[in-house]
Every structure is written in structure tokens, then in C-alpha cells.
């Protein structure tokens, strides 16, 4: 059963901690509860988005640096 | 009576009508950004004008009440829940001791207001309880709420008679991801070329993720300034003028890109040409725009701005009357 990780807030979504680094996670990676999967930038601050359960990242539903809305699906976990 | 902050949300601050009238010492007003929603919350719970509430931005907190209380949530479409059950907005509600208020994801708008009968009892600093986070003044310890905070609530007496009172449907503002804001052109609009003024008024601007209680920044076009030899005292950027005061709601365009509307926590003066000012009534609408939303600016004259302000005053008086 696929689950999604949602954005709690509107802003800009980033898949990597900074432009020179590798993405936090890639499709096919295993994640555990509490792992960071991305960052939302809003109001000049950055907020880590963490997995709430364990699973495998089946796909990203948003591109790096795309605008994001509150409650929008970011990642699908299996 | 107190509120325990179990989770703070993204940016939850104590705000009231603000500390207007302190520009002479360089103090911005702070205060609730959407005055209408904030004030109606106070009417619902039977508070005096100016009682402090919470301004909740983009993502809601989780709050526990240590005693029974009358509360109301107004503003953005950020669905509130008590003990996990969705409850109405724009209506006076009863919460029991131990009840937990939380919020679903934001649907529209940007800021919700929590009014509690008795008001949030934080120390008054220069005639206001509003938080000015940039320099850590006012509100609860001069900052946004954190997990574990306790907020004292003022004495309210028995207000249970208010429970169930609600604002009439047609009086409740609706928010969308496209907003028009009315502006008065000036004070230094003479610096902008005529073509750029047309561009400014003709462009559908996008709210950037930077937009906050200090300023709302937009992208979507580029504006040019009239060429001139900069006068003594003005900086080298063609957007510079000799320093002057910035009205709340004034619009500046540093470097000719990304106009910024200065709002409640903004600097009170400086050397950027302000090309217009968002009228006071429409600053409520601005406060409910969120990052990535679309905004257009429409030119109006002072008479229309004053008329809009008077119409808003009458509407608020009507709502208050209906809730007495």
C-alpha cells in the first residue's frame, strides 16, 4: 500500500541540502521514520520534511526547486 | 487559565492592534496583519477591542487549554480541530479543560487568528502586546511561540452565553490564489518611467516565498527608473532617493526588480523610492495571500481608499452589533 509524504506548508521544495550536494534520498532508497527527504523554504527559513514511517521511495511527485502548496504530496513510499 | 503550546506551528505570534503612532522613534506598528479577521475574533468571544490573540501563519500549532474557555478562530481557510474533530471557524466555541486545538492543512488564505475570551495576557510594551520578532520586543518573550510555552489568559468571567454565536455567511471574506490590491500612486512614483508604471499596473505578480510580516516580495516583471544625476544624499541605485519615511503598505523596487510591499514589521524609513501604497483596507487581503499566489495592483484615488475604509468600518460595526 503506497503512502505519501505531504508538505505541511506552502513554499519552495528542495531535494538537496545545498546546490552542490546529492539529494537527501533517491527513488528506490529505503527510508526510516525521521529521515529527512527534503526541505521547504518559506518566509526566509528552511524546514526539513521527514518521513513519518519506514518504506521505500517509489517516486517523487514534485521536482527539485518547484513551488509547493500546503498538503501537497511530495513523495510516494511503499 | 493558560494555553500550553504542544507544537508551535510554523510562525505563531501574539498580536493585537499594534503599536501605531511610534514612527518618530523608528518603531514599526507590528500587530495583526489581517485586522478584520483578528478584530472579528474579539467580537465573537466578547473581548474588548485590542485584546491580544494569536496570529497563525501557513501551518497551525497544537494548543492545549488548561481550563474551559470560549474561543474563536477566524481568518484563513485553515481548518481547526478540537481533539481531532473539525470545528467551525468564525464562530464562538467552547473548549473544555484538557482539550487540544490543532489544524488541518491550509486550504486558502495565509493567516488564522485565535481569539480567547480574556485575551492573551502578555506584558504590554509601548501600549501594545504585539510581537516584533526582528528585535525581540513585545508579545511572548519577543518571539514566535515554541514547544512548551505557557500563555496566560486574562480574566474573562462566564462567557458561555456566547458559544454558538457566529458571523453571518455573507460577511465572511473568501480568499483565492489571485488577489487584486488597490494602490495610491506616490510618494516617489516620479522616479519610475511612464512605461514602467504601466508595466507595474499591468503585470500579474507572483508572491515569492520570502513574503513575511516585514515585506511582501513579488516577481514577474522588471521596472525602469527615469535617468538622472542622483542628488546629494541619494544612493547610486536609480531606485534610490534621499531618505524619507516609508508608509505602511508602501511599495519599493530595489534595483528595478521584485517590488516589495512593506508591511507591519518593516523598517520605517530609508532611501528607496516608494512608487505607491496599498490602501489600508486591502492590507487585510494582502495578509491572506500566500507564497506563489498571484497579485495585481490597481490604481485608485484617495477618495476611493477613504470610502473603502469607511465601508469596512460600517461593516465591522454591523457585525459587532449582530454579535452583542
Amino acid at each position: 500500500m503506497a503512502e505519501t509524504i505531504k508538505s505541511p506548508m506552502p513554499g519552495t521544495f528542495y531535494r538537496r541540502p545545498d546546490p552542490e550536494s546529492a539529494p537527501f534520498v533517491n527513488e528506490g532508497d529505503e527510508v526510516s521514520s525521521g529521515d529527512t527527504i527534503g526541505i521547504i523554504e518559506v518566509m526566509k527559513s528552511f524546514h526539513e520534511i521527514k518521513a513519518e514511517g519506514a518504506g521505500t521511495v517509489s517516486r517523487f511527485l514534485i521536482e527539485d526547486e518547484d513551488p509547493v502548496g500546503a498538503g501537497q504530496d511530495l513523495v510516494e513510499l511503499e | 487559565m493558560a494555553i500550553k503550546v504542544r507544537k508551535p506551528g510554523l510562525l505563531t505570534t501574539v498580536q493585537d492592534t499594534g503599536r501605531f503612532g511610534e514612527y518618530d522613534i523608528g518603531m514599526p506598528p507590528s500587530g495583526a496583519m489581517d485586522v478584520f479577521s483578528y478584530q472579528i475574533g474579539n467580537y465573537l468571544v466578547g473581548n474588548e477591542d485590542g485584546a491580544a490573540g494569536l496570529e497563525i501563519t501557513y501551518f497551525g500549532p497544537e494548543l492545549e487549554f488548561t481550563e474551559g474557555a470560549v474561543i474563536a478562530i477566524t481568518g484563513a481557510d485553515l481548518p481547526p480541530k478540537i481533539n481531532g474533530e473539525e470545528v467551525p471557524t468564525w464562530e464562538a466555541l467552547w473548549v473544555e479543560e484538557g482539550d487540544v486545538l490543532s489544524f488541518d492543512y491550509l486550504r486558502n488564505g495565509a493567516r488564522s487568528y485565535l481569539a480567547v475570551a480574556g485575551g492573551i495576557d502578555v506584558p504590554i510594551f509601548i501600549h501594545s502586546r504585539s510581537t516584533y520578532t526582528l528585535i525581540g520586543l513585545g508579545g511572548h518573550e519577543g518571539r514566535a511561540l515554541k514547544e512548551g510555552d505557557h500563555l496566560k489568559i486574562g480574566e474573562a468571567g462566564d462567557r458561555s452565553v456566547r458559544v454558538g454565536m457566529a458571523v453571518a455567511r455573507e460577511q465572511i471574506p473568501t480568499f483565492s490564489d489571485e488577489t487584486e490590491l488597490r494602490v495610491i500612486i506616490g510618494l516617489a512614483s516620479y522616479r519610475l518611467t511612464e512605461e514602467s508604471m504601466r508595466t507595474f499596473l499591468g503585470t500579474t505578480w507572483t508572491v515569492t516565498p520570502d513574503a513575511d510580516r516585514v515585506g511582501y516580495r513579488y516577481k514577474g516583471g522588471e521596472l525602469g527608473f527615469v535617468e538622472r544625476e542622483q542628488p546629494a544624499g541619494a544612493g547610486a541605485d536609480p531606485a534610490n532617493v534621499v531618505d524619507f519615511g516609508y508608509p505602511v503598505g508602501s511599495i519599493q523596487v530595489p534595483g528595478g526588480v521584485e517590488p516589495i510591499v512593506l508591511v507591519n514589521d518593516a523598517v520605517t524609513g530609508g532611501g528607496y523610492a516608494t512608487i505607491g501604497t496599498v490602501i489600508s483596507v486591502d492590507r487585510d487581503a494582502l495578509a491572506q495571500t500566500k507564497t506563489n499566489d498571484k497579485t495585481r495592483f490597481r490604481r485608485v484615488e484617495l477618495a476611493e481608499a477613504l470610502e473603502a475604509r469607511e465601508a469596512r468600518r460600517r461593516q465591522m460595526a454591523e457585525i459587532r452589533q449582530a454579535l452583542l
Side-chain angles (χ1 to χ4, degrees):
Chain A
M1 176 63 191
E3 280 184 24
T4 59
I5 299 172
K6 292 177 192 295
S7 174
M9 61 195 74
T12 305
F13 179 73
Y14 298 98
R15 280 188 59 184
R16 44 189 96 231
D18 60 75
E20 274 74 52
S21 300
F24 290 105
V25 291
N26 289 298
E27 289 175 1
D29 286 357
E30 300 282 329
V31 294
S32 318
S33 177
D35 285 356
T36 300
I37 61 99
I39 291 175
I40 307 279
E41 180 193 6
V42 72
M43 293 192 289
K44 298 176 185 167
S45 57
F46 294 89
H47 307 271
E48 291 188 340
I49 306 300
K50 295 175 191 288
E52 283 181 4
T56 305
V57 175
S58 51
R59 62 188 174 120
F60 268 84
L61 303 166
I62 182 170
E63 297 290 322
D64 193 21
E65 300 186 23
D66 267 4
V68 63
Q72 187 178 330
D73 291 326
L74 303 172
V75 173
E76 196 177 80
L77 290 187
E78 273 180 6
Chain B
M1 166 63 190
I3 293 176
K4 282 198 257 183
V5 180
R6 293 175 32 150
K7 290 180 186 168
L10 177 60
L11 179 76
T12 306
T13 56
V14 176
Q15 300 293 348
D16 59 13
T17 43
R19 44 185 76 80
F20 276 89
E22 304 299 333
Y23 249 45
D24 58 332
I25 59 163
M27 179 67 73
S30 299
M33 281 184 61
D34 175 356
V35 175
F36 180 85
S37 297
Y38 151 77
Q39 196 57 269
I40 302 297
N42 275 338
Y43 297 168
L44 282 163
V45 302
N47 280 347
E48 283 174 23
D49 281 359
L54 294 182
E55 181 177 273
I56 296 162
T57 317
Y58 287 152
F59 177 62
E62 206 175 288
L63 306 170
E64 184 183 327
F65 296 87
T66 65
E67 268 178 51
V70 176
I71 66 166
I73 298 125
T74 55
D77 190 1
L78 180 75
K81 296 184 283 189
I82 293 176
N83 304 327
E85 296 282 317
E86 201 170 315
V87 292
T89 52
W90 302 92
E91 181 174 325
L93 310 169
W94 176 254
V95 287
E96 298 281 355
E97 176 188 344
D99 277 358
V100 175
L101 173 67
S102 63
F103 295 84
D104 207 335
Y105 294 120
L106 179 72
R107 290 181 191 147
N108 248 320
R111 291 175 170 82
S112 281
Y113 293 86
L114 171 67
V116 184
I120 309 282
D121 186 15
V122 294
I124 291 174
F125 175 75
I126 314 187
H127 63 79
S128 170
R129 293 186 168 87
S130 290
T131 317
Y132 180 28
T133 57
L134 283 190
I135 51 174
L137 293 176
H140 181 70
E141 301 181 359
R143 58 167 172 79
L145 300 187
K146 281 186 192 164
E147 185 179 329
D149 282 345
H150 279 239
L151 296 174
K152 259 175 64 189
I153 304 302
E155 190 50 53
D158 182 6
R159 303 251 186 102
S160 52
V161 63
R162 304 204 65 82
V163 174
M165 287 188 179
V167 178
R169 180 71 37 198
E170 65 274 12
Q171 303 273 29
I172 298 175
T174 54
F175 310 115
S176 83
D177 48 17
E178 285 189 38
T179 303
E180 183 184 86
L181 301 175
R182 289 168 286 184
V183 297
I184 304 276
I185 299 302
L187 300 165
S189 49
Y190 64 88
R191 291 294 303 121
L192 213 53
T193 65
E194 279 179 34
E195 190 194 343
S196 284
M197 182 53 82
R198 281 195 296 273
T199 304
F200 172 68
L201 295 169
T203 299
T204 301
W205 299 91
T206 301
V207 179
T208 70
D210 297 335
D212 62 10
R213 287 185 48 86
V214 176
Y216 259 61
R217 188 187 285 259
Y218 300 86
K219 60 183 182 205
E222 210 164 306
L223 306 177
F225 293 88
V226 177
E227 277 186 39
R228 68 166 179 178
E229 193 176 318
Q230 292 288 81
D237 183 333
N240 283 143
V241 290
V242 178
D243 288 10
F244 62 170
Y246 293 149
V248 179
S250 62
I251 305 161
Q252 53 179 243
V253 199
V257 291
E258 304 199 341
I260 302 168
V261 180
L262 299 180
V263 286
N264 300 48
D265 287 355
V267 61
T268 56
Y272 283 110
T274 58
I275 61 169
T277 303
V278 175
I279 71 170
S280 57
V281 164
D282 285 3
R283 291 208 300 272
D284 291 357
L286 177 146
Q288 293 296 353
T289 63
K290 58 186 183 300
T291 170
N292 307 319
D293 279 358
K294 304 293 181 199
T295 298
R296 292 176 68 88
F297 297 98
R298 181 165 69 83
R299 175 183 195 149
V300 295
E301 300 306 321
L302 190 59
E304 183 175 339
L306 293 174
E307 214 170 276
R309 183 188 287 185
E310 178 56 20
R312 168 61 56 90
R313 195 196 59 73
R314 280 198 305 269
Q315 185 193 6
M316 290 180 71
E318 249 175 58
I319 293 172
R320 167 170 248 185
Q321 193 62 34
L323 293 172
L324 282 179

